Amino acid sequence: MMSLEIIKGFILLSIIFITLERLLALHPQKIFRAGLKTDITYFLTGHIIGKNASKIIVFVTLLYLGNHVNLFWQNAVISQPIICQFIEAVIIADTGYYFAHRLLHTVPWLWQFHAVHHSIETMDWLGTVRVHPFDQIFTKIFQLTPLIVLGFNNETLAIYTLYSAAIAFFIHANIRLKLGRLKWVIASPEFHHWHHSQIPRTYHKNLAAQIPLLDLLFGTLYMPTGKKPEKYGIIDPVPPDYFRQFLYPFTRLNLMKNTSPSSQNSKGFSCYGSVYMIALAYLMVFGVVTSVIISELFYHVDLPTYITSFNTKQVTVNDLQEGKIKPVIFIDVRSREEYAEDRIGKSSLVPFVDFQGSLGVQEVKRIIKSNMKQNQPTPTIVLYCQKGPRSIKAYQKLKNTGFKFVVLSGGITAWRKVIPLEKDDQILTPILY
């Protein structure tokens, strides 16, 4: 069933931007223009894809990079006021987007996906959403991964997400509006419409989504005074409907024609020079991150556990430190030898091997019932192992027992990176059941 949230969002955005486009029209054009049904489909599917892709990117980054981040950086970031975090998030995320966007325009096989977005011939607010799912996920990875690794808090990420969406609709809108000196730090239709122009010299221009200064810095800015683009779209025909646009890049990849904007304007490609190497360096960093994820996936987590992890409720060390979840009962599912070597406070032990049968589930129930007190809030049971996989599997065995379970993300390894043994009691006393 279609989410009411999506419908409300579409209605609200329609009222705002259709009104603005009537009052401040850059080009005279119809509301019910060609391709409208296709773009409404993109709006509905894109919201779902974007929301779930963001969750997966956040989840995978936290799960598999949690033990590889620099806690000093994270503490420095999270200790700042929200406004400072927001400004930094915009700069970092848009820099990531800029390099992703350059790659989409210069690597021929990536361009086949991005060409769907550039097939827009009538620029308006709804044209924003005509983005192939691969393109959408590709750019989100470049935007969100550094923000998560650097430890920006949830409030900042939420504000950034809203700001990013608002700017995206704004820069595509058919609005005649100039921002004066703000045009260098806030993207506008005046800036972004040139990126969609059919004029060859603009094929590599205005690649940032939010901060035009990035294009000025990297030599890709094009914003002539007193002019506006008259024709939008690309030369190669793209099918008009959603389903065929989804398949379009794959059919084009088979042909492998050199039809990216770079091939149509080789002079424009030469302007990249050393800056293109920066984009490649960013991609190399992303490659290292990806290799870490893959190595963690195949050497520490088996594929079935990886799949079931998406259906597992998890809690971070920071969440517990801040008392976001309380009261809690900790249960260690490692081996007796690991438990004897180190454990979180006075956690109860239920070895993972016991979950191969029914013994583990029965023992967990016994522990919970023996700790339950009348007139006390229902506790949340925090399962943990060394890094996560065993507690995820235990969670799947326990989730339908009628009690509230979560898994400690990163396990005791993540806990000890933040909390030394001698500080366990200090952290645990306010949250234990």
Side-chain angles (χ1 to χ4, degrees), residues 314-335:
Q314 301 204 31
V315 62
T316 65
V317 177
N318 283 340
D319 289 337
L320 292 168
Q321 275 186 299
E322 295 170 6
K324 290 182 178 179
I325 297 178
K326 63 181 181 180
V328 299
I329 296 173
F330 281 85
I331 294 181
D332 190 328
V333 300
R334 297 174 301 154
S335 67

Side-chain angles (χ1 to χ4, degrees), residues 264-285:
Q264 298 172 25
N265 185 18
S266 58
K267 183 178 179 181
F269 182 79
S270 66
C271 76
Y272 278 70
S274 60
V275 175
Y276 189 69
M277 296 304 294
I278 299 175
L280 291 179
Y282 191 98
L283 189 61
M284 287 175 64
V285 172

Side-chain angles (χ1 to χ4, degrees), residues 1 14 25 51 70 107 143 216 226 266 293 306 337 364 372 381 390:
M1 183 179 290
S14 298
K51 190 173 182 178
N70 187 304
V107 178
Q143 287 176 298
L216 181 64
S266 58
I293 292 173
Y306 172 72
E337 292 76 17
V364 169
M372 292 286 280
I381 293 79
R390 284 174 287 179

Side-chain angles (χ1 to χ4, degrees), residues 71-86 88 150-156 318 322:
L71 293 175
F72 175 78
W73 292 348
Q74 290 195 330
N75 290 333
V77 168
I78 205 169
S79 63
Q80 299 175 98
I82 291 290
I83 183 63
C84 295
Q85 290 189 54
F86 169 71
E88 292 164 3
L150 289 171
F152 287 90
N153 64 28
N154 292 335
E155 290 80 3
T156 302
N318 283 340
E322 295 170 6

